Every structure is written in structure tokens, then in C-alpha cells.
Amino acid sequence: MKKQLVNPYLPANICIPDGEPKVYGDRVYLYGSHDIPGTKFPCQGDYQCWSAPVDDLSAWRNEGIIYRRQQDPYIKRMMAHKLCLPFYKYLFAPDVVEVKGRWYLYYGVGMSGAGIGVAVADQPIGPFNYLGRVHYPGPANLTDVDGDDEFLLGKGQPMFTMPLGIPHYHLAYYPYDPAVLYDNGRLFLYFGYQHCYVTELSPNDMRTMVKAPEIQNYISPDFAMNGDGWRMENGASIRKYDDRYYLSYYATKKRASALCYATAVSPFGPFSYQGVLVSLGDSAFHQPTAYLGTTHGGMFYANGHYYQNFHRQTGSRYSDRQAWLVELKMNPNGAFSPAKFTSQVQRQGGLAWDYQYQAASACVFLDRNGKCQKKTTPYLMIKGRQQCVTNLRDGSIVGFKYLDFRQAPCCLNLTLNFTGKCQGIVELLLDRHIAGKVIINKESSSGKIKITPGIHSVCFRFKGLKKSQFLSFKFSVSE
């Protein structure tokens, strides 16, 4: 890496949740939903692609728009007739697969009855062009919503209808969050909401369902995982490493949110629950220290390391979800150890102590009672191209994990940067122990701090700064 890896690894004003990273050649490409910060609903943007060299994951670049919402005929028709509810006109979590030198994009149109769309391109960064819908090869009491003699996966039903104003859900076989895998000349599609199914598609046209010999049917039985109390919600993502299939997914357990995973020796399973990959605010292991909500993402292997992409909640609008990375450790038996929810990407060590860190990299948000909850806890807010932490009530804590002070001088200068009314005190906590304080009387305020050598979590406790927004901090050699 030419620079250290810090979360969020994309620019702080870019929100790409549901990210599926795929390695093609010497680059890794990130495909995902596209939130527009500050808007009411998620997934309103056109699909973007970001890429980085496999040997330098600090150098991500924007490859631009690869597929636009109105390229999809269902969205175009619904919008023309002003028939679309908000969640029926947005592009949801996509996945991409390469087959014989062409790239195929699979996507869902919100919670609509449009089924799963497919687009194709001649290179991984597009532009992608609409190809058609995933469909059964013939009628089977199914609905032809497009009038094109194709019978959709999902029977053309939306996720829910509102008879008498009461939501009625249609979750069984609902084609949500598609994930694709091309393996030994066969193409597999995974999907589902609170369920998971797999179907095989014909590699001839990349979208016609075929009866797989393993199940003698078009769609597998439901194999939702509910291991160790974790309930599968959605966000299936499929990978194959060393003849083993890894299915990761978003799961919940009481007040915890996590990416869990299961493995199998066949693409149709049976899949066995293996454990947690990463949880928001480390909520799988203790009371959450960051905001909970959905998360979704895929694994990739690059330059000798395994990584897990996922999105975190910022505590602001639901449409401000950001892409984060963690390095995974694969054990000799092929299982992954749970990763910590941290500001850093690498699994071991810590971030350089003498670097300026943006508030966007915070991974701990607590109120004065040590809880992360709406209204009383600091949260992230995107302002233009910058992100700040706001709602700084007395006693609230914002933290970063981890900084490496092993080679740092014992006496350092700490500079904190704010906007707004800057009057108050900030206490520095190293591993939750008070190490000093800085009096804030202007937008950039400094103070001398004594540091104990080691790798520490760095937290700031705020007093009297409710009308301020926290921008960044930096340690430097004290003069």
C-alpha cells in the first residue's frame, strides 16, 4: 500500500452501500447501490463503479456511471405514467459476473414486481446496456408484467401490497438482492428476503432459468440460515474459495446487526452456519458502540489478503450509508475469524499516530450514558464534500480505533478542528482512560498531551460544544 487504509475508504461524501467487490485482472471493482446523501430514501442514484489496484487499496478511483435507472424499461414506463412508489423506481443491490469476456450486471428494482434485471457490457466498468429479465422458460401460472412473453422470477409481485391499507408481504421466492456465481461453466443466482434460494441460469442467454439436476427444479428449497440465534434478513453474497462455497448475508439478533456466513461443498448447499464476519459497532459481542441498521457486502481476495466489504450506518438519514472494509483472517480449516469494527482496514497493528484523521473515520458514537441511540448520540452529517460529527452533547463520546503510539514521543500536541460555535472542552481518552484535555475557543484549538506508548483506541469526550461540528484531529510533535 502506498498509503495506509482508513475507513471510509471512498470519499466521505460518496455513499455506495451493498458493495460487491470483484477482482478482474490487476484491479478490484466495486459495484453497489448508490445513496444520494441527505435524501429521504436510499438507492436513488444511478449505478457507479469504483476501482483500485489489487496491490494498492488506498488508490480508489471513480469509473463513473455504469448504468442509469431509466435504462431499465420497467422504471422508464412506471415513471412515464407516474405510477411509481418511491421504492418501486430505485436500483437496489447489484452484482456482476464475467462470462467469456463479457460482464453481466444483475439488479433489483426496489421492492417492485419487476423481478431481476440483467445488463451487459464489454468491460468491467461498462457502460452496461439492458439485456432483459431473469425468467422461467415458459408459463406456469406466472405474470407477464412487461408484455414480452417472459414469465418473471417472483411472479411479478411486489414485496408487499396494501389491501385495506394494511401491508401484506410476499416474501417467499421474492427476488431480492441478487448474487451471482459462474463456476465450472454453470451460472448460479442467489436471492431472497428473510429466505435464501438459488436457481441455475442458462449461460447461453444468461437469464433463462433451467432445472438443475441436483434439485430437479427451477428453484432450490429455502435454506435460510438461523445459526446461533442470528436470523437471516437479506443481502446474500456468494464466493468460492478452495472448492468451498461461502455465502455471506445480513443478519440480526435482538439489537445486533452483522454480516454472518455459511459454507457448503455444493452451490445448492446444504449450507452450514459458520459465524459472524463483522458486526456494526461490534454489536455481536457487546452493547453496540455505533449505529445499527442494515449492512450488506461481499468478500474479495487481493494481494495475499482476504477482505470483507460492508456498509455502515452514519446515524443520519438512512440514505447516507458508507462503504467500509475490514481485513479477514482465514484459518487453516477454511473458517474466518470475526473482524473488529474499526476505523482501520488492516487486521493487526494500528494507524499512524501522526496523520490527520477526518471525523468521518470515527467508529464509536456514544451518549453520556455510554449508549448509541437516536437523538442523544453524536452522528455523522455530510456537508458538501466534507463529513462532520454533529449533535455533540455534554458527555458524548466519539472514538477511533486504533492508533499506534509505540514509536511516538511521550509529549504530543493535539489539534482539534471544528465549525460552528466553538466554546468548550474536549477530554482525550486512551482506551477509555483520561489522558488530557484541550480547551476549545476557536475552530482550530490545540493542547499538550502526554501519551503512554502502545496501540490505543482514541476517544474524545465533549463538554459545551453542542452547537459545534467536529471535523478532524491530529497529533504532532510538541515544540
Side-chain angles (χ1 to χ4, degrees), residues 93-135:
D95 199 5
V96 169
V97 66
E98 179 192 8
V99 177
K100 298 177 182 178
R102 302 193 84 191
W103 283 262
Y104 295 85
L105 173 75
Y106 292 78
Y107 62 93
V109 181
M111 299 175 180
S112 72
I116 292 174
V118 188
V120 62
D122 292 324
Q123 54 182 341
I125 59 172
F128 285 84
N129 295 303
Y130 179 75
L131 182 64
R133 288 292 199 270
V134 171
H135 66 284

Side-chain angles (χ1 to χ4, degrees), residues 17-73:
D18 310 320
E20 286 287 353
K22 296 294 181 72
V23 175
Y24 300 122
D26 61 357
R27 297 189 71 82
V28 55
Y29 297 85
L30 180 71
Y31 307 94
S33 303
H34 185 188
D35 286 358
I36 305 299
T39 55
K40 187 175 181 180
F41 297 102
C43 303
Q44 293 191 49
D46 299 320
Y47 286 144
Q48 285 187 354
C49 176
W50 290 74
S51 77
V54 293
D55 60 353
D56 188 7
L57 297 181
S58 68
W60 290 86
R61 75 184 183 206
N62 187 354
E63 303 290 358
I65 299 296
I66 60 171
Y67 191 70
R68 298 183 183 277
R69 280 194 295 140
Q70 293 219 32
Q71 287 181 252
D72 182 272

Side-chain angles (χ1 to χ4, degrees), residues 167 196 199 222 243 250 264 274 283 289 323-324 330 343 360 431 461 467 471:
C196 191
T199 183
D222 176 356
D243 295 325
Y250 163 50
Q274 298 297 322
S283 55
T289 55
W324 276 41
M330 179 184 277
S343 309
D431 303 326
R461 183 156 55 202
K467 296 183 179 180
L471 295 178

Side-chain angles (χ1 to χ4, degrees), residues 4-304:
Q4 65 178 350
L5 278 170
V6 185
N7 283 314
Y9 64 94
L10 300 181
N13 64 325
I14 299 297
C15 294
I16 307 293
D18 310 320
E20 286 287 353
K22 296 294 181 72
V23 175
Y24 300 122
D26 61 357
R27 297 189 71 82
V28 55
Y29 297 85
L30 180 71
Y31 307 94
S33 303
H34 185 188
D35 286 358
I36 305 299
T39 55
K40 187 175 181 180
F41 297 102
C43 303
Q44 293 191 49
D46 299 320
Y47 286 144
Q48 285 187 354
C49 176
W50 290 74
S51 77
V54 293
D55 60 353
D56 188 7
L57 297 181
S58 68
W60 290 86
R61 75 184 183 206
N62 187 354
E63 303 290 358
I65 299 296
I66 60 171
Y67 191 70
R68 298 183 183 277
R69 280 194 295 140
Q70 293 219 32
Q71 287 181 252
D72 182 272
Y74 178 90
I75 294 177
K76 187 174 182 179
R77 186 174 67 254
M78 292 296 103
M79 292 184 71
H81 292 88
K82 299 182 180 180
L83 297 175
C84 266
L85 295 173
F87 280 135
Y88 286 18
K89 61 184 178 180
Y90 301 144
L91 294 174
F92 273 35
D95 199 5
V96 169
V97 66
E98 179 192 8
V99 177
K100 298 177 182 178
R102 302 193 84 191
W103 283 262
Y104 295 85
L105 173 75
Y106 292 78
Y107 62 93
V109 181
M111 299 175 180
S112 72
I116 292 174
V118 188
V120 62
D122 292 324
Q123 54 182 341
I125 59 172
F128 285 84
N129 295 303
Y130 179 75
L131 182 64
R133 288 292 199 270
V134 171
H135 66 284
Y136 291 87
N141 297 320
L142 304 172
T143 303
D144 178 12
V145 298
D146 280 344
D148 57 5
D149 295 323
E150 294 182 354
F151 300 88
L152 297 185
L153 172 61
K155 303 182 180 180
Q157 290 188 114
M159 180 181 284
F160 63 90
T161 51
M162 298 282 288
L164 303 177
I166 301 172
H168 179 66
Y169 288 87
H170 313 284
L171 300 183
Y173 301 106
Y174 184 75
Y176 198 77
D177 288 352
V180 282
L181 177 71
Y182 186 62
D183 180 42
N184 293 324
R186 299 174 69 184
L187 180 63
F188 304 100
L189 170 69
Y190 298 74
F191 61 93
Y193 192 101
Q194 293 185 352
H195 305 265
C196 191
Y197 308 94
V198 60
T199 183
E200 185 172 357
L201 303 180
S202 169
N204 295 326
D205 67 1
M206 303 296 292
R207 58 196 186 92
T208 300
M209 297 166 62
V210 298
K211 284 188 177 181
E214 292 90 338
I215 57 173
Q216 290 298 306
N217 207 335
Y218 287 111
I219 303 177
S220 74
D222 176 356
F223 54 89
M225 272 63 64
N226 294 292
D228 194 28
W230 289 97
R231 185 182 77 167
M232 181 180 190
E233 299 291 347
N234 50 58
S237 179
I238 187 71
R239 297 291 187 271
K240 184 182 181 183
Y241 299 120
D242 297 329
D243 295 325
R244 185 179 298 188
Y245 298 86
Y246 291 78
L247 184 79
S248 62
Y249 51 92
Y250 163 50
T252 58
K253 181 180 181 181
K254 295 182 180 178
R255 288 199 66 242
S257 300
L259 280 181
C260 295
Y261 80 110
T263 61
V265 295
S266 163
F268 288 95
F271 281 86
S272 299
Y273 171 82
Q274 298 297 322
V276 170
L277 290 168
V278 64
S279 62
L280 299 186
D282 284 334
S283 55
F285 313 108
H286 49 63
Q287 181 171 288
T289 55
Y291 284 93
L292 302 183
T294 67
T295 189
H296 179 180
M299 298 180 190
F300 68 100
Y301 181 77
N303 206 32

Side-chain angles (χ1 to χ4, degrees), residues 426-462:
V426 175
E427 292 179 334
L428 170 66
L429 309 178
L430 296 182
D431 303 326
R432 302 295 179 91
H433 301 293
I434 297 177
K437 65 181 180 181
V438 176
I439 297 173
I440 308 300
N441 51 28
K442 54 185 178 180
E443 289 189 341
S444 182
S445 299
S446 300
K448 289 181 170 54
I449 300 292
K450 287 189 176 181
I451 299 291
T452 302
I455 297 174
H456 303 296
S457 65
V458 173
C459 293
F460 301 107
R461 183 156 55 202
F462 300 89

